[in-house]
Amino acid sequence: MTTETDDTQPRHFLDVDDLTETELLTVLDRATAYKRAVEAGDDHADLEDQTLGMLFQKASTRTRVSFETGMTQLGGHAIFLGEDDIQLGRGEPLKDTSRALSRYVDAVMARVFKHENVEVLAEYADVPVVNGLTDDAHPCQTLADLQTIREQEDGFDGVSATWIGDGNNVAQSFALGCALTDIDLTVATPEGYELDDEVLERARELGGDPTTTTDPIEAVSDADIIYTDVWISMGQEDERDVRMNDFEGFQVGADLLEYAPEASIMHCLPAHRGEEITDEAIESDQSIVFDQAENRLHAQKAVLSWLLE
Ligand code: CP
C-alpha cells in the first residue's frame, strides 16, 4: 500500500490500494474516456512509441489480449514474454530480469502468481510495474469491475454487491475496490474460504466494512450486483472433489436468482459453466459478464497511461 510518494521512484500498481480514492476515480474516468474514443473511432495515441513488456508465467486470454490490444490502440507496442522464452525460466534472478527489462521497456506487466515475486520485480524496476494477477490480488480485474458497475448503476452511490464463492485473489482486490468506492460488499462463502483477515483489515482502513456470511440466499436478496468466480483455480485441481462438495448451494443459477431477479451478474472469466454459474445465468439478460470483459481493455489503457504520464 502506498503511504507516501517518492518522486524519484516509478509508481507501481500491485493492488487496488496502491491508488487513493481520488486516483482510482481519475483512472476510471480515463477508462470511460478511452471507451468513448474507441466507440467514436477517435485517435488517442497517448503512449506513442512506448513499449510494454508483458511477463506471463501461465496462460491467459483476457489479460494478454487486452494489454496487447490496448498498447496498440495507444500507439505503443507490447512484447509477450513467456517465462520459458526468457532467462527467468532458466533460473535468472527476478531482480536481474527486472533491472534489465527496465533498460528496454517503458513499463512491465507481470502475471507471476507468487505475490512476493511481483513485489521483487517492482522493487528493482526503474519503470512502472503492473500486477497482472498473483495468488493474492488481481487489481486490473477490479478496475474493469468497477468501471462496469459504475456504468450499470450510474455511479457507486448506494450500490450493494455480493461476492459469492471462493474468497480468492479476485475477491480480495474487489473488496479493496468496493471499500474505496463505498460499495456495500457482502461476501458469501463456505466456512474456510473467507477473504484473508489482512485484506479485510486493509478494506476497513479504507473505510469499507465487508460482511461475511455462509448464507448465499440472504447474501443475494438485496444485492444490485452478484459476482462469482471459479471454485477451483489453477493449481487447485487436486482439491476438486472437496471444493465441489463445499461450494454446493453457492452456484449462481435459477435457485439463487429466484431471490435476486433484478441483480446484475458478473464473472471475471474464464467460467466453469455448470459449476459456479449456470449456462442460463451467464446468457441471461441479467448478465453483464462480457461488458465486464471488454472493460479490461479500457481500464488497463487508463492505468498504463496514468502511470506513464
Ligand atoms: N480474468 C482474467 O484474468 O482472465 P485471463 O486469465 O484469461 O487473463
Side-chain angles (χ1 to χ4, degrees), residues 56 58-66 111 132-133 138 141 170 227 229 234 267-270 296 300:
F56 280 93
K58 291 185 189 168
S60 157
T61 298
R62 281 142 290 271
T63 306
R64 177 175 176 181
V65 179
S66 55
R111 179 177 267 222
L133 183 146
H138 199 354
Q141 182 65 53
V170 178
Y227 192 166
D229 190 11
M234 278 190 262
H267 192 305
C268 59
L269 301 175
R296 293 291 305 273
Q300 287 159 197

Side-chain angles (χ1 to χ4, degrees), residues 115-132:
H115 197 79
E116 64 222 50
N117 284 350
V118 80
E119 289 175 335
V120 171
L121 282 168
E123 183 182 348
Y124 288 93
D126 297 324
V127 297
V129 173
V130 175
N131 178 6

Side-chain angles (χ1 to χ4, degrees), residues 24 98 102 166 175 184 234 304:
L24 174 62
S98 183
S102 296
D166 188 12
D184 184 19
M234 278 190 262
L304 280 176

Side-chain angles (χ1 to χ4, degrees), residues 71-308:
M71 282 303 290
T72 303
Q73 291 180 355
L74 289 167
H77 177 62
I79 307 176
F80 174 78
L81 304 165
E83 190 186 43
D84 292 333
D85 301 324
I86 56 177
Q87 298 289 6
L88 194 58
R90 297 177 62 225
E92 181 177 56
L94 265 174
K95 60 184 180 183
D96 292 351
T97 301
S98 183
R99 283 150 119 171
L101 285 179
S102 296
R103 303 292 177 105
Y104 309 131
V105 301
D106 299 287
V108 171
M109 190 290 301
R111 179 177 267 222
V112 290
F113 293 85
K114 272 175 81 174
H115 197 79
E116 64 222 50
N117 284 350
V118 80
E119 289 175 335
V120 171
L121 282 168
E123 183 182 348
Y124 288 93
D126 297 324
V127 297
V129 173
V130 175
N131 178 6
L133 183 146
T134 63
D135 291 331
D136 296 347
H138 199 354
C140 292
Q141 182 65 53
T142 299
L143 293 181
D145 300 340
L146 295 175
Q147 184 181 2
T148 309
I149 291 172
R150 199 186 202 190
E151 290 169 352
Q152 183 67 19
E153 299 295 324
D154 212 13
F156 296 119
D157 275 358
V159 174
S160 61
T162 289
W163 177 273
I164 182 154
D166 188 12
N168 62 15
N169 49 359
V170 178
Q172 304 215 124
S173 289
F174 185 63
L176 300 175
C178 287
L180 275 172
T181 52
D182 290 332
I183 293 172
D184 184 19
L185 176 65
T186 300
V187 179
T189 188
E191 224 173 290
Y193 295 95
E194 299 88 354
L195 303 186
D196 283 353
D197 286 342
E198 184 260 340
V199 170
L200 287 171
E201 191 52 41
R202 278 159 65 196
R204 290 191 192 106
E205 280 169 15
L206 296 171
D209 189 17
T211 306
T212 303
T213 175
T214 54
D215 182 345
I217 293 175
E218 180 199 320
V220 299
S221 294
D222 287 324
D224 300 305
I225 303 290
I226 297 174
Y227 192 166
T228 192
D229 190 11
V230 291
W231 294 336
I232 301 143
S233 297
M234 278 190 262
Q236 295 172 335
E237 290 79 4
D238 291 350
E239 301 169 33
R240 162 167 277 279
D241 290 347
V242 174
R243 283 178 167 259
M244 290 298 285
N245 186 54
D246 288 350
F247 285 101
E248 203 181 328
F250 285 80
Q251 184 187 63
V252 176
D255 289 350
L256 270 188
L257 294 174
E258 180 187 339
Y259 298 92
E262 306 292 332
S264 299
I265 299 167
M266 295 177 65
H267 192 305
C268 59
L269 301 175
H272 293 172
R273 295 181 185 219
E275 293 183 11
E276 76 279 0
I277 191 164
T278 62
D279 210 29
E280 293 75 19
I282 207 167
E283 297 292 350
S284 73
D285 290 343
Q286 287 178 255
S287 169
I288 53 172
V289 166
F290 294 101
D291 296 323
Q292 183 186 359
E294 177 189 332
N295 285 337
R296 293 291 305 273
L297 172 68
H298 310 300
Q300 287 159 197
K301 285 164 68 178
V303 78
L304 280 176
S305 71
W306 183 80
L307 286 169
L308 285 167

